[in-house]
Amino acid sequence: MFLHRHATAALPRYTSYPPANRFAETDGREFTPWWLDGLKSTESLSLYLHVPFCAQLCWYCGCHTSVANDSARVDRFVGRLLREIALVAGRIGEPGDVCSIHFGGGTPTMMSPEAFAQVMRTLRDLFPVRADAEIAVEIDPRTLDAAHVAALAAGGVTRASLGVQDVDPEVQRAINRIQPTELVAQKIAALRSAGIGSINADLMYGLPGQTADHVRRSADTVSGLGVDRVAVFGYAHVPWFKKNQSAIDVTRLPGAQARFEQAEAASEYLVAAGYVDIGIDHFARPQDSLAVAARDGRLRRNFQGYTDDPADALIGFGPSSISAYPGGYAQNIPNVKQWSDAVDAGRLSARRGIAVTEDDRLRRAIVERVLCDGRVDLEAVAADFTRDPCAVGDAFERVAPLVADGLVRVDGWVIAATPAGRRYWRSLAACFDPELAPAKGRHSVAV
Ligand code: SF4
């Protein structure tokens, strides 16, 4: 497989449709009440909790986070998080069943073990959390201790996601994240022996000084550690948006061809090691629920990437978190102080968002199928919305260059990526997005 011109196009990741950069600001009013009020008790829920603190900043980081210099600050945050949970639950009245809970950030284990236990208790008190709910936590192996592991297990955590990125010490120095492999191995063993059976490892390509060999070695290491899932993300250098990335030595960043080879190296290695290539950036053991969902055509896309979570709505807590309601998306204020002021005043903090139109709903479903399956039957998806597939006929003109390059095949209303187009699913998804402005360098590149 070789690099096409499409690989360097700047495209959204489409963790939502419309993507988050199209959300609009309100004039200071709360954004979500009518969507929360409209949630029916029959609608199942997913909950996302964002903890915006880390012990130190990795230079590549693109998340909403900052260094928490004292634990009292984190404790004050947790107090407000509990208030926000109560506020939202009170507003819904009779929430539907919770299928999944995801703690992200930042570093969720910046919360003390006691604080984590209290958050889980509050969630279970105020929401009907299903007995088989997936409870996932993102983990920085460098700061995970035995008390945290015990608290996660006691709280019912089913999946731990560890940031690894690259195992090479020199690459780690170039991104300010020194993390010996022995440490990662110890933490995985501790999580497993506490009963947290499902482990995900995050890797990256496109990092400063990184080569395809580094990526292969990292893939070899995490598969050797027996992780169930591996996510492989391309580094997006956006220092105008993320100041901490200014510390990255841009002269050492791999070019487009090298990035492409690194993405290919990760995929080839992991597939050879027995993982199933899922969507645009995930790999899972064949028996893992994500791989099963992909086989059954049940894979979904949300702000955490890929999921088999069937929930009707996702509610976000904490600064910057995004909620996805049947009627639209709403994002909490990212600034911790402003989010705190809103919660202290007993108000919801979402001030950005977008209502989804009928057309958005159809395009969202199409984009989701492309990013999950690499193909879409436009007629079948349109029928689900009692629409005519001609409603998205504008896409064919944008698909044509991908067809001409042998990356996509069109057969009637069925549009599918070819094997050569395996790394271009994002490019195909973007064809269904009529609002996509000509590349302005504000999104990450397609590969
Ligand atoms: S990559 Fe993870 S641990 Fe590093 S600063 Fe970002 S959120 Fe924190």
Side-chain angles (χ1 to χ4, degrees):
M1 221 182 269
F2 62 95
L3 178 76
H4 277 274
R5 56 200 158 119
H6 312 286
T8 53
L11 301 173
R13 290 184 188 278
Y14 292 114
T15 51
S16 66
Y17 187 89
N21 68 324
R22 269 175 237 157
F23 293 3
E25 303 276 343
T26 67
D27 53 4
R29 284 170 304 130
E30 294 173 16
F31 206 89
T32 45
W34 62 93
W35 285 334
L36 272 179
D37 293 347
L39 280 178
K40 303 178 191 73
S41 57
T42 49
E43 280 165 337
S44 54
L45 301 177
S46 232
L47 308 179
Y48 171 76
L49 298 95
H50 188 86
V51 181
F53 301 111
C54 291
Q56 64 177 82
L57 278 195
C58 310
W59 292 340
Y60 63 88
C61 181
C63 303
H64 283 288
T65 190
S66 62
V67 174
N69 291 317
D70 69 308
S71 58
R73 189 170 169 221
V74 182
D75 289 344
R76 285 195 299 276
F77 161 79
V78 173
R80 291 183 173 113
L81 187 64
L82 295 171
R83 247 185 115 178
E84 189 186 33
I85 294 168
L87 212 57
V88 169
R91 186 93 210 189
I92 300 175
E94 272 186 65
D97 281 1
V98 171
C99 316
S100 85
I101 301 174
H102 188 107
F103 288 85
T107 304
T109 47
M110 290 299 289
M111 292 191 287
S112 67
E114 298 72 28
F116 179 79
Q118 198 179 355
V119 171
M120 281 308 306
R121 263 198 311 278
T122 303
L123 290 174
R124 289 185 196 281
D125 283 350
L126 299 180
F127 288 89
V129 178
R130 279 169 37 173
D132 63 349
E134 174 172 294
I135 303 176
V137 181
E138 293 171 16
I139 283 174
D140 178 350
R142 299 168 300 172
T143 58
L144 184 74
D145 62 23
H148 275 116
V149 173
L152 298 179
V157 169
T158 55
R159 182 183 310 282
S161 183
L162 281 77
V164 176
Q165 324 312 352
D166 192 296
V167 298
D168 182 80
E170 203 191 317
V171 176
Q172 293 185 357
R173 265 194 296 282
I175 56 173
N176 195 37
R177 185 176 179 131
I178 308 295
Q179 186 175 286
T181 297
E182 303 72 54
L183 178 87
V184 178
Q186 280 165 15
K187 303 301 162 141
I188 290 178
L191 289 161
R192 286 227 160 96
S193 59
I196 299 172
S198 179
I199 307 286
N200 173 94
D202 287 347
L203 298 181
M204 290 186 89
Y205 64 86
L207 294 172
Q210 208 178 17
T211 65
D213 264 350
H214 289 133
V215 174
R216 251 178 241 113
R217 243 178 291 144
S218 302
D220 179 47
T221 302
V222 295
S223 67
L225 292 172
V227 303
D228 305 273
R229 295 181 186 176
V230 186
V232 184
F233 301 116
Y235 169 59
H237 191 62
V238 286
W240 56 86
F241 183 55
K242 286 285 154 195
K243 295 263 177 299
N244 50 299
Q245 293 186 349
S246 306
I248 295 258
D249 179 355
V250 283
T251 64
R252 302 193 64 214
L253 286 176
Q257 179 68 40
R259 280 177 67 94
F260 188 80
E261 285 165 11
Q262 290 170 20
E264 282 293 281
S267 170
E268 278 165 17
Y269 192 93
L270 289 167
V271 169
Y275 290 85
V276 180
D277 194 349
I278 290 172
I280 56 171
D281 46 25
H282 276 56
F283 300 84
R285 297 272 186 210
Q287 66 280 10
D288 183 274
S289 61
L290 209 58
V292 175
R295 269 200 300 280
D296 296 349
R298 289 185 291 103
L299 198 62
R300 307 266 313 266
R301 185 133 177 95
N302 70 7
F303 297 108
Q304 281 81 58
Y306 288 98
T307 180
D308 54 339
D309 170 9
D312 300 309
L314 167 76
I315 301 180
F317 300 95
S320 82
S321 66
I322 301 178
S323 300
Y325 301 101
Y329 299 100
Q331 181 173 27
N332 283 355
I333 296 176
N335 180 285
V336 178
K337 166 86 173 66
Q338 290 172 4
W339 171 83
S340 302
D341 289 347
V343 175
D344 287 349
R347 289 185 281 112
L348 300 173
S349 82
R351 299 289 179 277
R352 272 182 94 231
I354 194 166
V356 290
T357 64
E358 280 305 307
D359 191 57
D360 291 336
R361 266 186 255 279
L362 173 59
R363 289 177 189 273
R364 173 167 65 182
I366 292 169
V367 164
E368 187 172 50
R369 283 329 334 137
V370 170
L371 291 177
C372 291
D373 306 334
R375 75 186 287 284
V376 61
D377 181 338
L378 297 178
E379 197 170 27
V381 176
D384 289 343
F385 293 84
T386 52
R387 299 282 305 276
D388 188 315
C390 292
V392 293
D394 55 294
F396 283 92
E397 194 185 329
R398 293 186 288 273
V399 169
L402 295 168
V403 174
D405 286 342
L407 304 175
V408 168
R409 191 173 301 124
V410 177
D411 182 5
W413 290 112
V414 178
I415 301 186
T418 61
R422 183 66 188 85
R423 299 280 142 239
Y424 295 90
W425 291 10
R426 244 169 105 188
S427 310
L428 178 54
C431 295
F432 294 92
D433 181 356
E435 299 295 318
L436 191 61
K440 287 178 181 159
R442 295 275 147 176
H443 296 294
S444 57
V445 291
V447 179

